[in-house]
Structures are given as structure tokens and as C-alpha cells.
Amino acid sequence: MDRHYQNLVQKLEEITHLNGVMSTLGWDQEVMMPAGASEARAKQIAALAGVIHERMTDPALGDCLNELKEKNFDHLNEVERCNIREALHSYELETKVPKRLVQELAELGSRGQGIWVIARQENKFSDFAPVLKRFLELKTEWAQRISPELKPYDANIDLFERGTTMDMITPIFECLKQELIPLIEAIQSQPLQPDTSFLQGRFALDKQEALARAISQDIGFNIAQGRIDVSVHPFCGGSHPTDVRITTRYKDSDFIESLYSVIHETGHALYEQGRPHELGDVPASESLTMGIHESQSLFWERMVAQSKPFCSHYFDTIRAAFPENLKSADVDSFYRAINTCKPDLIRVEADEVTYPLHVILRYEIEKGLFEGSMRVDDLPEIWNESMQKYLGIKPPSDTLGVLQDSHWSGGAFGYFPSYTLGAMYACQFYNTLLREQPDTKKNIASGNFAPIKVWLNEKIHRQGRLYTPQELVQRVTGEALNPDHFIGYLKTKYGEIYQLG
């Protein structure tokens, strides 16, 4: 093997290992770290971010890449070409950003998370606003440095969905609004709504935890190489495919939230555990975009776990965990209850019909902030007005409104569109699976999830970063991303549940 390529792999693996340490520090901060350690942790994270940045901008790495770039790639295989391509992209981005900016973003993200948690608890958006304003300044500077040819918000979107811009997203989201708002109104106007009374009451937390853990492992989560813990906001983290950590949050008044949160994060975890790490800790073995990642979590949460066959398989188990609460329910009523379409204040608790409107609201706010048509101080009012317009409800507090998500506390602008792109990918992948494995619904009903996991491993997880999202979707499904799959799925499913004409 070319010595320059060997040198490149050695440098890339060291960077990956350092990023793994950073991920573990981030997980610890949200799960186990004492509250009083926030200042020290912010400095630790800033220092480590500086070290990683130095490795990623090392002139020796640049020299190595330049040597490889000048060579003929024909003698390299697909994985080697991918590693060089991804390393070049990353190096060109990182060398355009000064260490000072990298460290300030990292430290503000660490401090911002703590400030957000307290502001959310105390319902004080004004305490979080300065963090948001500073992030907008820093992320605008960052965007102008790395991609001066792009609009600042497009550069931020590109970080999560490479090659995707506002010009591509906005028409799709406008189409979704035109289709979903009338659908939601039609559902809400139906006189007979599903009975959800048996989902209310008190549900023992230990029973919730045991149920969630069991189902997570049933569908394929390798607990020997993972963990399930509690955090303010559910997430999937960890440092390597052999160390994947998911979290949820429990409320004794709602077991559905924690259960489906764990299933959602398990979808992310299965992607991480399914990556081709035998290729080495290099870019070719990493996951693709956030949209593809989200497609995997939504695939399991919505296409599988909210389906009638899944409910049929697990209903007796769930009722055994909460016998008094569910004594009057049956499979059909349970299926309808967990698929109720009802506008909710909280994005992570929203149903699959209303969820895209939560994403669109956030996308439009981020777009407005970067374009200068919206002010940070006005966000609570803008948020509430949009919720009223799209979903017909108004948050009674900032805690249940503009402060509910953790993303802005880390400066993750441009992330939200990935959720709805992921929902579209998930639906298109699932329809392809049904064509290729006609017994899928029978397998789900019998609790045989292995064929689904193997299909996802082979088609998506083990492909790493060999292809762009567009190429991957084309390879897997035989067509480009087509939102008609998603819209058709929602109209068919909820038309049947609510008996729409």
C-alpha cells in the first residue's frame, strides 16, 4: 500500500479516537456529570477541541493529502478513494477556521447546554437569548470562512445534509404544509376520536425501563456494546460501534413517550453498531448524513413499532407490564391510541402527521434568524404565533415552546430539516423492503426482526460513506428521494384509522 496512504490512515484514526473521547465527555456531561462541574468541563472540552483542530489542520496532513491528490487514483479501491475524498473535504473546511473560533464554539456549546437546562427549568428565555445571539454571530462567521460562496444558513445546513440548500428544502416544506395542514384539520374534525384513556394514569418507572430495554434488545440492540441511560433530552451517543450509548427520559404519567423514545434511539444505535468498523476508524466506515441517520431511527419507531403487526406482537407483553391501566384495551384500540393524531406542544412527543410541522416551524425560524428577518428577542412570540397557525395550539410557557429543544444550545443550526428528510427516506426505504421481503409484516407480527436488521445493515449501515445520500437512496430504492411515498403513507394510514372519506 502507498506509504502516503498508510500515513493518512494513521492520522485519520488518531483524529477519530480523539473525537471518540470528545463524544464520551459529551455523554457524561448530559448523563452523569455533577452539576457543579460545568465550568471545568467547558474548559476540558475547549482544550480537547483545540487539540482535535490542530490534528485536523496539521500541515503534515495537508502535505500527505496533496501527495495523494496528485497521484492517479485508479489503483486505489473504493474504500481508499472514499477516505481520501472525505479527508480532503474535512481538511479544506478545518483549515479555513481559526483555532480561536473552534475553541469558542466548543466552549459556548458546553456552557450553553447548562444555561439552556436552567433556563428551560425556570421558564426564562431571556436567560438563554444571549447564548443564542452569540451562536448566530459565531456560526455566521464560521459559514463565511468555510463557504463564502454560500448563504450562511445554507453552509450550516450543508454541515448536516451535504449538498442540500434552502432552495431545495423550502419547496418541499411548502408542499408538506399544503398537504398536512388540511389532513390534520380533517382528522380533528372527525366526531369519533380514538380512546386514549388507558394510556393515562400512573406507570411504574421500573416497569417502563424493563419494557423499553427488552424491546430494544429484541429488535437488535447489542447491550454488550451499548448502554441505556437517562438524560434531559433523549439522544444516541458513544465513541465507537462497540460503545454506543442511548438515553431516554421517564415520566410516571406516560410510558409511551419513554418506550418509543428508546425505540427511536435504538434505530440510531443499530446504525452505529452496524457500521463497517472492520475497515478501520476512518471516514469510509462512518455514518452518512443526519437525514440518513434519522431515517434509521424513524424506520424503527414509526414504520415498524407503530404498525399494527408490531402492536399485535407486543400487546400482551405491554398489558402484562401495566395490567390495571390496560385492562379495558385490546390490540385494535391500542394501535389506534398510539397512532392518535393530535397537535402537541412538544416536538419529541408529536405524532408522525404533525411532526413535520414542528420541523418546518424551526426551519423557518432559523432561516429568518440568519437572513435577518427575525430577532432573537422576538422568538417566543414568533414561535407561539407559528404554533397557532400550523397546529392550532399556543404554548403556555417558553419551557413548552421555544426552549424545548437542546439543539440551539450547541449551535446546531441546520439540523432540524434532517428530521423530516429522514421521515421521507424511512418511508421510501420501508416500501422498498416490503417489495424485496413480502413477509416483512408477518415477521414483525411474530417478533422476527432479524431479516429487517440484516437488510438495513447490508443496504445502508455497511455502506458507510461510500456514496452520497442521493446515490444511496437511488441504489437502495431505485429512484431519487420521492416525498410522495411519505404523503401517501400518511394519507392511507390515517385515512383508515379515522375513516376519512
Side-chain angles (χ1 to χ4, degrees):
M1 187 180 291
D2 186 286
R3 66 181 179 87
H4 293 296
Y5 181 75
Q6 286 182 311
N7 189 25
L8 173 67
V9 168
Q10 184 178 12
K11 292 179 183 299
L12 293 178
E13 288 198 322
E14 181 188 25
I15 291 169
T16 298
H17 299 155
L18 289 170
N19 279 321
V21 175
M22 180 72 88
S23 295
T24 303
L25 282 175
W27 171 86
D28 176 75
Q29 176 173 291
E30 297 204 37
V31 176
M32 297 184 69
M33 187 189 78
S38 58
E39 285 296 316
R41 180 55 50 86
K43 289 182 172 61
Q44 293 163 2
I45 288 176
L48 183 56
V51 172
I52 293 172
H53 182 67
E54 287 174 353
R55 295 292 194 278
M56 296 181 76
T57 59
D58 184 355
L61 175 60
D63 293 341
C64 180
L65 286 167
N66 285 331
E67 289 286 345
L68 290 166
K69 190 166 55 172
E70 292 173 2
K71 291 178 177 289
N72 189 329
F73 283 7
D74 291 346
H75 69 290
L76 299 176
N77 63 36
E78 192 175 34
V79 171
E80 293 165 344
R81 289 197 297 272
C82 175
N83 286 330
I84 295 170
R85 182 182 69 243
E86 292 296 312
L88 272 168
H89 177 77
S90 177
Y91 183 77
E92 290 172 355
L93 288 184
E94 291 294 330
T95 52
K96 295 176 182 178
V97 183
K99 180 179 178 181
R100 179 267 313 164
L101 180 56
V102 171
Q103 289 183 304
E104 187 170 356
L105 281 166
E107 186 167 356
L108 183 60
S110 180
R111 294 181 193 278
Q113 204 273 340
I115 293 171
W116 165 74
V117 168
I118 295 173
R120 185 173 177 268
Q121 290 172 348
E122 298 181 353
N123 188 36
K124 289 186 178 179
F125 176 76
S126 59
D127 288 353
F128 180 64
V131 172
L132 191 49
K133 290 176 183 177
R134 184 57 180 156
F135 258 130
L136 284 167
E137 294 171 354
L138 294 176
K139 292 296 285 186
T140 297
E141 179 189 351
W142 173 85
Q144 291 168 340
R145 287 180 178 275
I146 65 162
S147 301
E149 75 283 2
L150 294 178
K151 295 175 182 177
Y153 188 42
D154 279 341
N156 278 271
I157 294 171
D158 191 75
L159 186 63
F160 301 104
E161 293 300 317
R162 196 184 302 179
T164 305
T165 64
M166 290 181 281
D167 286 344
M168 298 167 64
I169 294 173
T170 299
I172 293 175
F173 282 2
E174 287 298 321
C175 176
L176 287 180
K177 283 197 292 188
Q178 292 174 9
E179 295 284 352
L180 296 184
I181 291 175
L183 176 60
I184 294 166
E185 290 174 349
I187 290 172
Q188 292 300 105
S189 68
Q190 289 299 101
L192 291 177
Q193 296 289 315
D195 176 19
T196 60
S197 60
F198 52 84
L199 298 183
Q200 299 162 13
R202 289 289 176 264
F203 303 88
L205 299 186
D206 60 336
K207 298 286 188 182
Q208 292 190 47
E209 183 179 359
L211 181 65
R213 284 178 175 274
I215 292 179
S216 177
Q217 291 176 69
D218 284 352
I219 64 179
F221 183 51
N222 182 356
I223 199 69
Q225 296 181 339
R227 292 179 58 93
I228 303 176
D229 294 278
V230 175
S231 67
V232 174
H233 190 93
F235 70 95
C236 175
S239 61
H240 190 264
T242 60
D243 180 8
V244 180
R245 309 179 183 201
I246 64 179
T247 72
T248 189
R249 57 190 180 199
Y250 297 102
K251 293 191 299 187
D252 67 358
S253 60
D254 185 355
F255 81 92
I256 291 296
E257 178 188 346
S258 64
L259 175 59
Y260 279 83
S261 169
V262 168
I263 294 171
H264 179 97
E265 300 306 335
T266 297
H268 285 304
L270 294 181
Y271 189 175
E272 288 300 306
Q273 291 185 335
R275 292 196 287 112
H277 63 276
E278 69 277 2
L279 297 178
D281 298 328
V282 290
S285 71
E286 295 174 2
S287 56
L288 205 48
T289 65
M290 296 310 303
I292 297 297
H293 224 307
E294 191 65 15
S295 79
Q296 299 308 284
S297 58
L298 293 177
F299 186 101
W300 285 102
E301 177 192 6
R302 295 180 176 171
M303 313 312 298
V304 175
Q306 286 181 236
S307 71
K308 188 69 172 292
F310 187 91
C311 293
S312 297
H313 177 68
Y314 277 109
F315 180 71
D316 287 342
T317 301
I318 294 171
R319 186 164 58 180
F322 311 110
E324 286 302 311
N325 306 78
L326 274 65
K327 61 184 177 183
S328 65
D330 58 22
V331 172
D332 289 338
S333 62
F334 182 79
Y335 168 69
R336 290 194 297 271
I338 66 166
N339 284 291
T340 297
C341 173
K342 184 178 181 181
D344 196 290
L345 295 170
I346 306 300
R347 175 183 62 84
V348 297
E349 298 175 13
D351 60 80
E352 58 187 337
V353 185
T354 60
Y355 191 98
L357 295 174
H358 285 268
V359 169
I360 292 169
L361 179 155
R362 289 154 175 79
Y363 166 75
E364 291 175 346
I365 285 177
E366 290 185 346
K367 184 170 178 286
L369 288 173
F370 277 94
E371 291 178 344
S373 60
M374 296 182 188
R375 297 171 59 249
V376 169
D377 292 334
D378 297 332
L379 289 194
E381 182 179 356
I382 293 171
W383 184 286
N384 293 350
E385 289 176 352
S386 294
M387 285 291 290
Q388 185 69 51
K389 179 181 177 182
Y390 295 158
L391 294 170
I393 53 177
K394 183 176 181 180
S397 66
D398 292 343
T399 297
L400 297 174
V402 71
L403 282 172
Q404 67 181 266
D405 293 301
S406 66
H407 302 59
W408 292 341
S409 71
F413 302 105
Y415 190 136
F416 284 115
S418 299
Y419 290 120
T420 290
L421 291 173
M424 296 183 205
Y425 290 136
C427 197
Q428 194 162 327
F429 289 148
Y430 186 69
N431 283 347
T432 302
L433 172 66
L434 292 178
R435 289 200 309 271
E436 297 184 3
Q437 294 186 6
D439 290 336
T440 292
K441 292 183 179 180
K442 291 182 180 178
N443 286 334
I444 295 172
S446 66
N448 180 18
F449 302 107
I452 302 174
K453 180 176 178 290
V454 168
W455 189 86
L456 292 171
N457 284 159
E458 293 176 353
K459 298 284 187 176
I460 299 166
H461 308 162
R462 296 192 59 76
Q463 301 309 312
R465 288 193 178 184
L466 295 180
Y467 310 106
T468 67
Q470 294 78 19
E471 290 170 342
L472 182 68
V473 172
Q474 185 74 44
R475 288 174 64 91
V476 174
T477 71
E479 63 176 319
L481 175 62
N482 182 355
D484 289 345
H485 288 281
F486 181 57
I487 293 170
Y489 157 76
L490 292 178
K491 286 185 173 181
T492 299
K493 177 178 179 178
Y494 288 87
E496 292 173 355
I497 290 174
Y498 284 89
Q499 299 179 348
L500 302 179

